[in-house]
Amino acid sequence: HQRLSAIAALSVAALVGCTHGPGRYNVTVQLDDAMRQKLADLGDRNIEVDLVAVNSVENDRWENASMTSYWQPGDPLKGSIPTKVMIFNSRQAQAAASTNPPKPNQTASQATTQPSAYSETLSATDPIWNKWYANSNDKSVYHLYVLALLPGVISDQPGDRDPRRQILPLNQEEWPSGTKDILIHEAFM
């Protein structure tokens, strides 16, 4: 009976221990109303958002990288880690508006703001998490980099001071489970 209690205690400790280390989340990225309008004004151009999970070994390199260079074709950093790419474009928004006309109790603007047009979700079950965490352990420290190719000319800055780069902790102590919502807005710029 004591042995069974010890095994049960170890199992509980193992479950409690699961709250350490990097987590897997549903991460939803969406554009706010001002960015939706900016996207419509861009015509055929896109707003691209890359999500990358970076371990502590690579963190300094990613934190100090030039975002201007990152978005140039052939940049070596961009292809160095598996990336979840989200592309928002006005054609997608227009298609959503035409396939989702307003219902009798819905305004035209409500019909054109369907989630598929202005938001995208990285699922907690997406295989990219396995790629990102392939060599991790419970003590691994990871950050989710949200990198946005935004319209306009923006000066390079390190870390979160560059509005095109937001850095979020992926360890479960700082970011409990659940869906994480990231809003791309004018202040992001």
Side-chain angles (χ1 to χ4, degrees), residues 106-153:
Q106 186 179 40
T107 67
S109 67
Q110 287 172 321
T112 60
T113 59
Q114 298 297 318
S116 62
Y118 298 109
S119 72
E120 190 172 337
T121 299
L122 167 64
S123 169
T125 60
D126 190 296
I128 199 160
W129 292 103
N130 294 334
K131 294 175 185 175
W132 285 338
Y133 295 160
N135 298 315
S136 70
N137 59 46
D138 283 346
K139 294 185 182 357
S140 296
V141 176
Y142 278 81
H143 291 87
L144 182 69
Y145 278 68
V146 181
L147 309 171
L149 176 58
L150 301 171
V153 177

Side-chain angles (χ1 to χ4, degrees), residues 22-76:
R24 295 168 188 248
Y25 306 93
N26 293 319
V27 179
T28 299
V29 176
Q30 70 181 52
L31 306 179
D32 79 347
D33 290 339
M35 289 305 292
R36 291 173 186 175
Q37 183 58 50
K38 196 169 283 279
L39 181 61
D41 295 343
L42 291 174
D44 286 341
R45 294 190 43 216
N46 301 324
I47 293 176
E48 183 176 333
V49 177
D50 286 359
L51 301 180
V52 182
V54 176
N55 64 30
S56 56
V57 173
E58 293 286 322
N59 194 56
D60 284 343
R61 183 174 140 202
W62 281 81
E63 189 173 19
N64 294 304
S66 162
M67 290 282 52
T68 302
S69 295
Y70 178 83
W71 292 108
Q72 298 302 312
D75 181 69

Side-chain angles (χ1 to χ4, degrees), residues 85-100:
V85 178
M86 299 177 172
I87 297 177
F88 304 94
N89 65 55
S90 58
R91 288 184 307 274
Q92 180 183 24
Q94 291 166 353
S98 67
T99 59
N100 299 305

